[in-house]
Amino acid sequence: MFNKLIVAILPWFPKKFVWIFSKSYISGETLEDAMHVSKDLNSKNIKVTIDVLGEFIKNLEEAEENKTEYLNLIDITFKNKVDGHFSLKPTSFGLLIDKEVCYKHIREIVAKAASNNGFVRIDMEDSPCTDDEIALFRRLKAEFPATIGLVLQAYLKRTLSDIESMMDLNTEAIPVNYRLCKGIYVEPEAIAFKKYEEINQHFLEDLEFMLKNKIYVGIATHDKPLVEGAYVLLEKYNVPKHMYEFQMLYGVTPRLRESIVNEGHTMRVYVPFGKQWYGYSTRRLKENPKMASHIIKAIFYKG
Ligand SMILES: Cc1cc2nc3c(=O)[nH]c(=O)nc-3n(C[C@H](O)[C@H](O)[C@H](O)COP(=O)(O)OP(=O)(O)OC[C@H]3O[C@@H](n4cnc5c(N)ncnc54)[C@H](O)[C@@H]3O)c2cc1C
């Protein structure tokens, strides 16, 4: 209750207090910060996927700026020999303002990644974006089959049928590449599972379908029962190491992450950075109000 109250009054907190909490989840404000954290994770046998925080844009100039930032990020990542992919949110490139402009920006980013043997994943946003993000993925996949991946959310009731309807994209030579996560947005009950057990059951159903059908999957969760469920399925279908990986958010459940790495599985950590850390942080806090205690500690012990 107390933590929820803190989250509710969050907008009135000074930004610097939120930063004290946020710095465990965000690599920093600059590209250098992202490189530093990524190299550190690489040294622990963990791959990364880097995200420039910038999802709340108001005009197409900001979309253009975001594209430039990603092109620069790709250059610097390869120059630094970081073992990493790139994650992006189409709304940062104008999906909700002009779909064609958004496509052209993302195409340029994917083309640049492709010329360096890189990989770009389209994060999945809230349900008004789902159809457009699947369409964007299909269009890019046709031109860059080995460079582009998509995220699917197990809480959406449509997800299994989306996977089935995209089976034409899956070939033995170049398997389709998804990240499967629970989903982070607040969605209406008519289209989304709400209960923890229901979401987990559908997560495992979606995962089983992917593994059975030789789809590459990034298993993105910090939920121990799901990690254990995934282990069972990986064994059941005798899935080779090159067909899956685990993924986690930077700063979340590092001990579970370490145990997965120690078991010999590939691990990739989502490393967000950028000046727009505030929106990302407050979303993480709303998702897990228990973390509000970090802010309280910051006020009393460090503030
Ligand atoms: C690599 C990656 C990429 C993602 N990309 C997307 C995306 O594109 N679209 C989308 O909608 N969602 C995305 N998500 C978020 C995802 O949908 C979930 O909201 C989030 O991962 C929490 O779900 P969970 O499976 O960890 O299970 P939960 O049941 O939510 O969490 C299990 C346990 O993990 C810990 N935990 C989870 N989250 C946090 C946190 N923020 N802070 C501290 N502890 C925490 C807690 O101990 C919790 O009890 C992504 C997640 C990951 C790991």
Side-chain angles (χ1 to χ4, degrees):
M1 274 299 282
F2 186 60
N3 287 333
K4 279 195 177 144
L5 182 72
I6 296 293
V7 170
I9 60 170
L10 197 62
W12 288 277
F13 271 104
K15 249 182 163 181
K16 69 175 179 185
F17 289 133
V18 183
W19 175 247
I20 292 168
F21 147 79
S22 306
K23 66 181 180 204
S24 359
Y25 291 97
I26 290 160
S27 57
E29 284 204 356
T30 66
L31 238 172
E32 289 70 37
D33 296 329
M35 290 302 108
H36 178 74
V37 163
S38 298
K39 282 183 183 174
D40 183 53
L41 288 164
N42 282 175
S43 75
K44 295 174 180 141
N45 199 17
I46 294 171
K47 298 173 193 293
V48 295
T49 183
I50 309 175
D51 167 62
V52 184
L53 296 169
E55 63 220 91
F56 307 111
I57 68 159
K58 289 173 224 73
N59 52 54
L60 290 176
E61 283 79 56
E62 287 175 291
E64 180 87 31
E65 283 165 24
N66 286 338
K67 178 192 71 181
T68 309
E69 271 207 75
Y70 265 90
L71 295 176
N72 194 25
L73 165 67
I74 294 174
D75 267 339
I76 303 289
T77 304
F78 288 117
K79 272 190 195 123
N80 277 276
K81 297 190 171 47
V82 163
D83 187 352
H85 290 170
F86 309 96
S87 285
L88 56 79
K89 292 178 180 60
T91 56
S92 306
F93 303 95
L95 185 79
L96 301 174
I97 304 171
D98 185 326
K99 288 189 189 93
E100 201 52 28
V101 169
C102 171
Y103 162 73
K104 284 187 180 140
H105 285 330
I106 298 181
R107 192 205 161 274
E108 207 176 320
I109 292 166
V110 178
K112 183 164 187 101
S115 67
N116 288 283
N117 261 335
F119 187 84
V120 177
R121 186 172 307 277
I122 301 175
D123 282 351
M124 186 56 80
E125 300 177 87
D126 53 351
S127 56
C129 300
T130 312
D131 284 331
D132 288 337
E133 293 183 351
I134 288 177
L136 190 62
F137 169 65
R138 272 194 171 278
R139 201 168 165 192
L140 291 162
K141 176 92 177 140
E143 191 179 353
F144 305 99
T147 311
I148 188 86
L150 184 68
V151 178
L152 292 169
Q153 298 152 322
Y155 67 10
L156 286 188
K157 295 180 179 171
R158 59 180 282 172
T159 292
L160 192 52
S161 75
D162 283 338
I163 307 168
E164 284 166 350
S165 71
M166 288 190 281
M167 277 308 284
D168 59 301
L169 301 175
N170 195 43
T171 64
E172 211 173 312
I174 308 177
V176 72
N177 189 319
Y178 296 130
R179 171 193 300 149
L180 179 64
C181 65
K182 288 191 184 183
I184 207 168
Y185 301 89
V186 179
E187 297 288 0
E189 215 166 322
I191 61 162
F193 301 108
K194 291 286 181 186
K195 294 194 185 107
Y196 170 85
E197 290 77 16
E198 270 184 332
I199 297 171
N200 276 23
Q201 184 196 326
H202 283 91
F203 188 108
L204 291 174
E205 277 171 24
D206 296 339
L207 180 62
E208 180 155 17
F209 184 91
M210 291 181 189
L211 298 176
K212 203 159 55 178
N213 287 286
K214 300 189 169 32
I215 286 170
Y216 187 97
V217 58
I219 307 164
T221 183
H222 320 90
D223 197 7
K224 207 163 175 231
L226 280 187
V227 171
E228 282 159 2
Y231 285 166
V232 172
L233 291 173
L234 291 169
E235 206 172 308
K236 180 172 171 189
Y237 293 100
N238 201 14
V239 184
K241 291 250 183 284
H242 68 272
M243 286 303 290
Y244 74 92
E245 62 189 46
F246 283 88
Q247 297 189 354
M248 288 191 172
L249 299 174
Y250 178 62
V252 178
T253 59
R255 286 174 69 186
L256 178 58
R257 181 179 86 195
E258 200 183 321
S259 78
I260 296 172
V261 174
N262 291 343
E263 292 265 350
H265 304 283
T266 303
M267 171 62 71
R268 186 178 304 278
V269 164
Y270 190 99
V271 175
F273 82 97
K275 291 194 182 68
Q276 295 198 34
W277 55 268
Y278 186 74
Y280 180 87
S281 309
T282 45
R283 213 173 51 217
R284 292 273 99 73
L285 262 174
K286 283 180 188 140
E287 179 199 353
N288 189 354
K290 280 184 206 155
M291 301 310 287
S293 56
H294 283 271
I295 292 191
I296 302 161
K297 274 188 204 147
I299 291 168
F300 289 111
Y301 300 125
K302 291 185 193 146

